[in-house]
Amino acid sequence: MKEMTVRIDEAMLMPGCVAAGGEGEEVRLRFPKDGSGVDLTWLKDKGFRYVVLTMTAHTDHSAAFWLGVYTKDEPDVRAFDIQTGVLPGVPTRIVLDLGLMDAHALFPETAPGQLKITCHGRRINPAEIGRIALTLLPFDEETEISFSPLTLTDEYPDHFDVADGKLIDELGQWKGRSWKTKLSGEEELKEVLSGEAAEADSSYPFDDWSRYGGFMKLRLGEGTGFFTRTKKDGRWWLVDPDGYAFFSMGPDCVNLDADCRIDGIEKWMDWLPDPDDPDFAQMYEIHEKWPPLDKPRRKCTLFSFPKANLYRAFGKNWYEEWQRLIPGQLKKYGMNTIANWSDPVLFGAAEMPYVTSLARFPETSVRIFRDFPDVFSREYEESAAKNAEALRARKDDPFMIGYFLRNEPSWAFVDNLVIADEVLYNPERSACKEELIRRLKERYGTVEALNEAWNSEYGSFDGLYESREHTSAWSAAAEKELREFSAEMVRRYVEIPAKACRAVDPNHMILGMRWAWISDPALVEGWENFDVFSINCYSFDPTPAIDNVRSLGVDLPVMIGEFHFGALDAGPLSTGLKAVADQAERGKAYRYYVEKTAEHPMGVGCHYFQLYDQFALGRFDGENYNIGLFDLTSRPYPDMLEAIRECSAGIRGIAAGERNGTAERAAERCVVAF
């Protein structure tokens, strides 16, 4: 095995990053608030694929960092980065895979104990690289990190020895610190959950809400028996089955899925039950195909501390008790929607509106880029028709608001991606490539005419089958034609499954694609096939994102599928994608965001991500965010939930334009996220 070791020295430190001691071969660095770091540009000439090192964060929360890649043409703009992190105070061996710079994977596999890895940006050709830097994400205070020497290797490590010690208590809580709502043990757990169960109610707290959570003071029609939408006086509304105006509010992930990842780090737990114990077996899950676009190197073993805690509190009937308890809690605090990725057992049975997703988005054997399918193939149409059949079972359910076609396609995480460029870069023969070449032959007639327009040097049209990079940059004509073809690809991507779903279920609304963001104007292609346009919007104010959808010509109600706010004063060890100071500020940020959505003439709902906190050591992919309405013991965060109830009490008047939303906005803090 080819391998070499390199110690970080002061010559590699970027301005602001200073040496702060260390032991033996280890180097301890102090990072300034602005996130300076270590210059690793020399890596590009070494020819190794993997960088392996051990990091220790001298903090009381997780630490997040980038391995950023900069091109020669734009030396100050990250063209690509690998973002990941480590737990506080725990020496953690991590692997940085330089092979990820081809952008094939969005969420690669992590090493045991390492937090989530996310790859941002476009594919980078090694010849383009001008600079590589390892930098800490900007934070509110200086941060010290210790580094072992870097091991450069061509082979992924075959084993990982994690540090000794107990990090998680018997209830699934981080042992290293205390907070206001942390439980002391099983007895207090039983007392708290018994109290919550005694207060559970199946009704909404507002007399003017309909049985569906609609606003009885604002009737918009006789009602169709299903949720629908209408536009009145320039304002979009959802309409409940009885004809009342409806604004959708509620959390995603109302479920008890096993989502505490434990494989390789079992010894960090104070307690784990025997997987063969019949009372606890259902609390484990093993996923051998995670991540979907990268070769898994270990079994993803998950455990559910929320299930185990409910079992402790309620005994063998814990699941039935939860099914009664959680809808009552949501209604109690003024939420009227069970949002995406929730337990289907609750659908209908809880007599509470819900949204869901198409169980499986159509796929093809050939992928153009990441998860983008071969949309011109017959296979895509057949897959769409087959997958739409899953809607048939719920097509007559009046409590179903509608369904999303899918969530955050990974191909759309690249800003300004020309997907037709990827058709020509991908060496596989696809129906998309055949159709593109057919059109170019029809348009130009001869390869000489194509070469003149595209500034290319093809010997024949068959040359288009050879892998070429960034073809749209060759000329204005090439860019125009490839962007036009990209727009048509996106339209087919949307339109074919939408029509297949509509044929199976004509009763419910199609709620769109839940784009992570509008990374290119082409993403709105095919919007006419939706009833509602959906985006996930992590910000403090969703107004600009909704305005952007409108500016691109979309005339539909807009539903926000995800937003959240996290802090570092309770529970897990990272903030999530938007951060505030504490739990009270989380509630303040929630109210401002939801009321801004309601003020917008296109805003018809927003769903909070998510019901429960994430596990302090990381969920299936390594996220460990304090973003829940409840912690892993099912204990509510009272400041957050009281703010939600206050927001819900006045949301009708804000949406109707009778009064303005709150002007009190939480102060933004630096995030710890991946």
Side-chain angles (χ1 to χ4, degrees):
M1 178 176 66
K2 183 182 175 185
E3 186 175 288
M4 69 178 293
T5 301
V6 179
R7 188 176 186 271
I8 294 175
D9 59 32
E10 292 200 24
M12 300 178 195
L13 303 187
M14 298 164 59
C17 185
V18 298
E23 299 180 4
E25 290 293 301
E26 181 182 84
V27 174
R28 184 160 172 162
L29 303 180
R30 181 179 299 118
F31 291 80
K33 294 180 183 181
D34 65 2
S36 181
V38 182
D39 190 328
L40 298 180
T41 305
W42 50 270
L43 281 174
K44 71 186 182 74
D45 298 320
K46 297 298 182 183
F48 292 93
R49 175 166 177 176
Y50 299 104
V51 181
V52 184
L53 69 155
T54 298
M55 297 176 63
T56 307
H58 303 284
T59 60
D60 61 0
H61 54 77
S62 303
F65 58 92
W66 287 303
L67 183 73
V69 183
Y70 303 76
T71 64
K72 297 171 184 175
D73 293 337
E74 295 185 286
D76 298 321
V77 178
R78 277 194 317 277
F80 179 86
D81 65 62
I82 302 170
Q83 188 171 341
T84 186
V86 294
L87 296 164
V90 183
T92 306
R93 194 181 189 201
I94 67 168
V95 180
L96 300 172
D97 182 357
L98 303 183
L100 293 170
M101 286 192 287
D102 68 0
H104 73 279
L106 179 61
F107 303 122
E109 177 65 289
T110 62
Q114 181 180 357
L115 299 175
K116 183 180 181 181
I117 304 175
T118 304
C119 297
H120 302 276
R122 65 173 178 85
R123 179 175 56 253
I124 296 295
N125 186 312
E128 296 180 82
I129 297 174
R131 184 164 65 94
I132 302 175
L134 183 69
T135 58
L136 199 71
L137 269 67
F139 193 61
D140 295 310
E141 59 195 34
E142 290 188 342
T143 304
E144 293 192 358
I145 310 284
S146 294
F147 295 86
S148 71
L150 313 181
T151 298
L152 311 182
T153 177
D154 287 329
E155 295 185 17
Y156 194 89
D158 57 5
H159 71 280
F160 291 84
D161 294 323
V162 299
D164 292 330
K166 297 295 184 182
L167 306 179
I168 299 296
D169 70 15
E170 62 175 339
L171 303 183
Q173 303 171 121
W174 179 255
K175 296 182 67 173
R177 63 179 179 182
S178 298
W179 57 91
K180 184 170 63 175
T181 56
K182 186 177 183 179
L183 296 181
S184 59
E186 186 171 330
E187 290 306 311
E188 188 178 12
L189 170 74
K190 291 177 180 179
E191 179 183 344
V192 167
L193 292 191
S194 295
E196 288 291 326
E199 295 179 5
D201 192 353
S202 61
S203 61
Y204 292 111
F206 314 119
D207 293 338
D208 60 345
W209 277 26
S210 76
R211 60 180 176 146
Y212 295 104
F215 309 133
M216 291 192 292
K217 290 184 178 180
L218 184 54
R219 188 150 197 165
L220 298 173
E222 291 302 312
T224 65
F226 295 99
F227 279 89
T228 185
R229 66 1 174 358
T230 190
K231 193 175 188 181
K232 181 180 180 181
D233 300 327
R235 160 89 207 189
W236 278 106
W237 291 96
L238 297 184
V239 184
D240 80 9
D242 291 337
Y244 298 112
F246 181 88
F247 185 86
S248 183
M249 299 169 288
D252 291 307
C253 305
V254 184
N255 62 52
L256 293 166
D257 288 350
D259 206 10
C260 304
R261 188 163 186 180
I262 60 171
D263 53 290
I265 55 174
E266 292 89 346
K267 69 180 181 180
W268 287 349
M269 259 59 70
D270 270 352
W271 171 85
L272 281 173
D274 185 341
D276 295 325
D277 184 323
D279 289 330
F280 292 102
Q282 62 183 309
M283 301 177 190
Y284 284 92
E285 292 180 17
I286 296 178
H287 297 269
E288 298 191 45
K289 293 186 178 180
W290 168 259
L293 295 180
D294 200 19
K295 182 180 179 181
R297 298 183 174 91
R298 58 193 178 108
K299 289 183 179 180
C300 179
T301 304
L302 306 172
F303 178 70
S304 176
F305 276 103
K307 287 182 181 179
N309 290 329
L310 288 163
Y311 177 84
R312 288 185 174 103
F314 301 119
K316 292 185 180 294
N317 293 326
W318 62 268
Y319 186 44
E320 291 75 13
E321 188 66 20
W322 178 81
Q323 292 173 46
R324 183 189 70 85
L325 172 64
I326 198 64
Q329 287 178 307
L330 297 181
K331 288 182 178 181
K332 171 184 175 181
Y333 292 106
M335 288 171 274
N336 61 8
T337 303
I338 296 172
N340 210 38
W341 299 302
S342 294
D343 189 337
V345 170
L346 298 175
F347 297 167
E351 293 196 343
M352 189 171 180
Y354 65 92
V355 298
T356 187
S357 288
L358 188 63
R360 192 177 184 90
F361 193 76
E363 299 175 328
T364 56
S365 53
V366 172
R367 290 173 173 169
I368 303 303
F369 172 70
R370 292 185 179 170
D371 54 357
F372 195 97
D374 192 2
V375 295
F376 276 91
S377 68
R378 178 65 181 167
E379 183 186 7
Y380 187 64
E381 296 178 9
E382 292 171 348
S383 180
K386 179 180 178 181
N387 294 342
E389 285 296 321
L391 297 171
R392 195 174 299 279
R394 299 192 184 276
K395 73 180 185 66
D396 296 320
D397 187 349
F399 282 95
M400 180 171 155
I401 298 170
Y403 55 90
F404 303 101
L405 291 181
R406 69 160 305 166
N407 177 70
E408 295 190 349
S410 67
W411 63 268
F413 273 69
V414 180
D415 285 331
N416 302 310
L417 177 72
V418 181
I419 194 65
D421 270 348
E422 303 305 316
V423 173
L424 294 175
Y425 177 75
N426 191 326
E428 292 197 72
R429 292 210 174 194
S430 61
C432 287
K433 184 176 291 187
E434 297 295 343
E435 179 62 18
L436 175 57
I437 293 173
R438 184 193 68 77
R439 294 185 185 197
L440 293 175
K441 287 179 178 179
E442 184 178 272
R443 173 169 295 186
Y444 288 105
T446 67
V447 73
E448 289 77 15
L450 173 68
N451 286 336
E452 183 176 353
W454 279 28
N455 193 29
S456 55
E457 298 178 351
Y458 291 117
S460 70
F461 282 105
D462 285 347
L464 290 160
Y465 289 110
E466 299 173 5
S467 177
R468 301 293 177 90
E469 197 169 23
H470 306 312
T471 314
S472 63
W474 292 357
S475 73
E479 180 178 12
K480 178 178 182 295
E481 287 155 16
L482 290 174
R483 285 196 177 276
E484 287 175 352
F485 192 72
S486 294
E488 188 165 348
M489 289 174 69
V490 175
R491 177 170 289 277
R492 291 179 66 85
Y493 179 79
V494 165
E495 189 172 85
I496 289 171
K499 288 183 175 179
C501 290
R502 193 84 73 187
V504 173
D505 181 359
N507 298 325
H508 293 108
M509 293 188 290
I510 299 178
L511 304 177
M513 303 293 292
R514 294 171 62 96
W515 300 111
W517 69 91
I518 305 301
S519 57
D520 187 86
L523 265 61
V524 304
E525 289 291 330
W527 66 265
E528 303 91 342
N529 294 278
F530 302 147
D531 299 288
V532 173
F533 195 91
S534 56
I535 53 174
N536 295 342
C537 178
Y538 288 93
S539 70
F540 280 78
D541 182 350
T543 306
I546 303 175
D547 282 344
N548 184 44
V549 172
R550 178 167 57 183
S551 74
L552 294 171
V554 176
D555 185 16
L556 286 177
V558 172
M559 180 179 287
I560 293 170
E562 293 179 20
F563 73 103
H564 67 217
F565 305 99
L568 294 173
D569 67 328
L573 303 163
S574 302
T575 64
L577 300 178
K578 289 296 170 184
V580 294
D582 55 33
Q583 302 306 304
E585 289 290 287
R586 287 180 66 211
K588 186 187 297 184
Y590 173 96
R591 182 173 182 178
Y592 185 87
Y593 187 104
V594 174
E595 293 183 0
K596 280 296 182 184
T597 304
E599 284 181 339
H600 200 288
M602 296 171 73
V604 295
C606 47
H607 300 155
Y608 185 82
F609 190 90
Q610 57 186 29
L611 181 70
Y612 290 111
D613 270 341
Q614 295 173 341
F615 184 41
L617 304 185
R619 64 172 191 177
F620 66 95
D621 62 356
E623 282 186 8
N624 66 338
Y625 301 161
N626 165 230
I627 52 174
L629 307 182
F630 299 80
D631 65 21
L632 293 190
T633 70
S634 292
R635 187 173 195 177
Y637 284 111
D639 292 328
M640 184 73 170
L641 287 162
E642 287 301 328
I644 290 174
R645 179 155 50 191
E646 290 177 15
C647 174
S648 298
I651 204 71
R652 181 202 60 81
I654 294 171
E658 297 170 1
R659 67 182 187 86
N660 295 327
T662 180
E664 190 176 14
R665 177 171 172 163
E668 185 170 359
R669 301 290 292 269
C670 288
V671 304
V672 179
F674 323 101

